[in-house]
Amino acid sequence: MPGERVRLREGTAPGRKRVAVVGGGLAGCEAAWQIVRRSGANVDLYEMRPTVATLAHTTAGLAELVCSNSLKSDDPATPTGALKRELASLGSLLMAAAQEARIPAGKALAVDRALFSATVSGALSAAPEVTILRGEATDIPEGYDAVVIATGPLTSPALAGRLGALVGAESLYFYDAIAPIVEVDSLDPAVVYRMDRYGEPGTGDYLNVALAQDEYYRFVDALLAGGTVPYHDFEEGRFFDGCMPIEEIARRGRESLAFGPLKPVGLTPADGRRPYAAIQFRRENEAGDAVNMVGFQTKLTYPEQERIFREFVPGMKEAVFLRHGSLHRNTYLNGPAALNGDLTLKAVGEVRLAGQMTGVEGYVESMAIGALAGIFTADALEGRPFTPPPPTSALGALLAYVTTPRDPYVPTNMNFSLFPPLATTGKKLKRKLRREAHIERARADVAPWLDRLAPFFRDPGEERL
Ligand SMILES: Cc1cc2nc3c(=O)[nH]c(=O)nc-3n(C[C@H](O)[C@H](O)[C@H](O)COP(=O)(O)OP(=O)(O)OC[C@H]3O[C@@H](n4cnc5c(N)ncnc54)[C@H](O)[C@@H]3O)c2cc1C
């Protein structure tokens, strides 16, 4: 169906500031809510469905969950649990809708997706400051005091092209290729060795695992037999060089991994025995307690990744996964290259990006960046200073990820490796204590920030100033 070009409306409420939020998904709905609850502005929320379809959405509803109905763990001792609590403390519409639509799922926050979407749609439709406009925005809407673009991983091609032209095509990606991240102290130190390629064994930034020939073949066979996530029609067979899933590389020939991401040249360990293949782990965070498996983007299911890597990669028997590997169709920008710290596009003025397009991955992470974009927009409109969340909080750690340069830039979920290092006491904490300390510090540090923001939030029904 051809896209309708969005027609900008003349100011419906003279004197009020007007904001365009493009994309009625998870981030856009949360951003719109935060803007109208924290400022005197009116919001036009543009959603192209059902006029123009995406490759994954199946309804016309706002905040549609395109795949799983789980918003992951609700355990406050986990990073995603902490993120949910911080969002709820900000008066998040989507967190409230999730509680409304909650269905039993153990420690996870799972929802009835139809009720979840209907609750969000109902609240925004009932808000007199919000106008929902159905139609595709093929460009950044003009004539507004501020704009939030939250068109998600399946942004329509016309708008994606426009953003690419603004930020530079090299900063716009259409797939993400994500390698697993594991905790360093869950790797067996008797097996893993430190060494940069062609460097001195025992020194350098990379950790490595050497595989003998029989180990390598067993690993390749396990990969080939591993269960994978089915490809969507629109993803099938469309990989860039350099981001091919490891099991697909293995399918091209038994030796192809050994000549590709597992090539052992320059990685002979101190014992002098040249490995048949080698797996490299690259440092992931400042603390150095998390590493990613270099070149290991994969479509293996999460349980299969854990089973195969633990069973067939020496030194990974007890590996703790902070993030699993994946490969998706996903439109996103190189956040740190394209964005300022307050999520405004460097290339344009009061235009913010929100949601998965900034380089976060996941439902709650997208809502979180939507909430921050909404808060920062409201603060700017009301002349309040930009007040980012502390980097030690879950929201702050996520914001720092999407606005701090890193190479390569790949999307992230919320996980422990995003938190800045703990203050050293000279003593290395055990994993459980370290995790507790991160969550405790996040809770303590975010409290004054939440207190500072609280007076600017009006509950629904409260008169506007
Ligand atoms: C196929 C697929 C499956 C996923 N499964 C999961 C999962 O199971 N769990 C998980 O945590 N995460 C999942 N994700 C990742 C991600 O969390 C979700 O995509 C999430 O919905 C992103 O939120 P968002 O607000 O950024 O984008 P969306 O929720 O996709 O919202 C963007 C909205 O913008 C609209 N839009 C796009 N272009 C335009 C335009 N030009 N004009 C007007 N409107 C426009 C779209 O119709 C859409 O409603 C999945 C992603 C994909 C692509």
Side-chain angles (χ1 to χ4, degrees):
M1 194 182 298
E4 257 176 36
R5 205 187 156 85
V6 163
R7 210 161 31 85
L8 298 182
R9 300 166 328 127
E10 292 308 312
T12 45
R16 294 232 182 272
K17 291 199 170 154
R18 295 167 64 231
V19 182
V21 175
V22 186
L26 304 180
C29 290
E30 186 61 45
W33 181 253
Q34 293 292 338
I35 291 166
V36 297
R37 303 266 57 94
R38 291 175 187 276
S39 77
N42 283 348
V43 167
D44 286 346
L45 177 60
Y46 292 97
E47 172 51 56
M48 69 177 183
R49 290 175 292 119
T51 321
V52 178
T54 79
L55 297 162
H57 295 80
T58 57
T59 74
L62 298 181
E64 177 182 334
L65 300 176
V66 282
C67 188
S68 160
N69 67 332
S70 169
L71 307 189
K72 302 200 191 120
S73 175
D74 200 26
D75 179 350
T78 62
T80 173
L83 187 63
K84 290 184 184 73
R85 275 155 190 76
E86 292 179 14
L87 271 173
S89 303
L90 289 169
S92 159
L93 169 62
L94 277 83
M95 277 295 113
Q99 292 302 341
E100 182 74 27
R102 186 175 192 143
I103 52 178
K107 281 193 171 180
L109 174 54
V111 299
D112 173 322
R113 68 179 75 231
L115 180 57
F116 173 73
S117 168
T119 307
V120 174
S121 298
L124 289 173
S125 306
E129 312 89 347
V130 178
T131 307
I132 299 166
L133 300 168
R134 300 286 180 167
E136 179 193 1
T138 53
D139 203 339
I140 297 176
E142 285 174 5
Y144 287 91
D145 296 288
V147 176
V148 176
I149 305 282
T151 41
L154 303 171
T155 294
S156 71
L159 186 60
R162 183 69 193 114
L163 288 169
L166 275 174
V167 302
E170 68 290 350
S171 291
L172 175 70
Y173 308 108
F174 293 100
Y175 284 85
D176 61 30
I178 296 181
I181 296 179
V182 292
E183 287 200 358
V184 169
D185 64 7
S186 69
L187 300 174
D188 184 348
V191 176
V192 173
Y193 60 102
R194 184 170 291 282
M195 183 176 182
D196 295 346
R197 203 176 287 276
Y198 302 113
E200 278 297 307
T203 66
D205 297 325
Y206 285 78
L207 299 177
N208 306 274
V209 164
L211 285 90
Q213 189 172 14
D214 57 332
E215 289 170 327
Y216 170 76
Y217 286 139
R218 277 201 298 275
F219 176 58
V220 170
D221 290 342
L223 280 181
L224 292 175
T228 51
V229 181
Y231 288 91
H232 290 275
D233 293 348
F234 52 91
E235 290 174 326
E236 198 98 46
R238 296 176 59 195
F239 299 116
F240 294 139
D241 280 351
C243 69
M244 176 90 66
I246 41 164
E247 65 278 5
E248 291 300 327
I249 301 176
R251 247 181 272 288
R252 296 191 159 190
R254 253 166 111 66
E255 305 301 332
S256 52
L257 281 174
F259 285 93
L262 272 67
K263 67 174 180 287
V265 292
L267 290 174
T268 301
D271 65 12
R273 274 186 292 181
R274 190 177 186 276
Y276 194 76
I279 296 173
Q280 288 201 290
F281 298 82
R282 187 191 291 122
R283 187 184 173 122
E284 180 61 32
N285 60 355
E286 199 187 333
D289 55 10
V291 282
N292 64 68
M293 300 176 71
V294 178
F296 266 62
Q297 57 274 2
T298 174
K299 291 288 274 188
L300 289 171
T301 63
Y302 290 178
E304 283 289 81
Q305 291 179 38
E306 297 201 2
R307 180 184 69 77
I308 292 171
F309 298 157
R310 285 190 184 131
E311 194 175 335
F312 294 97
V313 176
M316 288 191 75
K317 201 164 167 211
E318 309 285 336
V320 173
F321 289 77
L322 292 169
R323 181 182 80 184
H324 292 87
S326 64
L327 203 131
H328 289 298
R329 165 77 170 77
N330 184 9
T331 309
Y332 70 102
L333 300 186
N334 183 330
L339 301 174
N340 296 308
D342 64 355
L343 298 170
T344 46
L345 278 172
K346 288 178 183 168
V348 219
E350 273 301 304
V351 178
R352 287 184 172 75
L353 222 61
Q356 184 132 337
M357 301 187 80
T358 60
V360 292
E361 175 88 23
Y363 295 150
V364 180
E365 290 83 346
S366 299
M367 296 172 199
I369 298 296
L372 291 178
I375 291 168
F376 299 158
T377 300
D379 284 349
L381 292 174
E382 296 297 317
R384 297 189 288 262
F386 166 55
T387 316
T392 47
S393 64
L395 281 162
L398 209 53
L399 179 66
Y401 188 89
V402 301
T403 54
T404 308
R406 63 195 72 239
D407 188 24
Y409 185 67
V410 291
T412 190
N413 61 354
M414 185 67 223
N415 68 71
F416 276 109
S417 76
L418 302 191
F419 289 120
L422 295 161
T424 49
T425 53
K427 213 169 54 174
K428 194 165 181 282
L429 292 176
K430 288 243 182 289
R431 181 182 311 129
K432 184 168 177 299
L433 292 177
R434 200 168 62 232
R435 290 181 159 196
E436 283 170 6
H438 275 300
I439 297 291
E440 195 39 56
R441 182 181 64 175
R443 210 181 349 242
D445 288 0
V446 83
W449 181 75
L450 291 170
D451 287 347
R452 251 199 319 277
L453 263 58
F456 307 120
F457 186 87
R458 293 186 318 279
D459 281 328
E462 274 183 48
E463 281 300 313
R464 289 207 284 185
L465 296 175

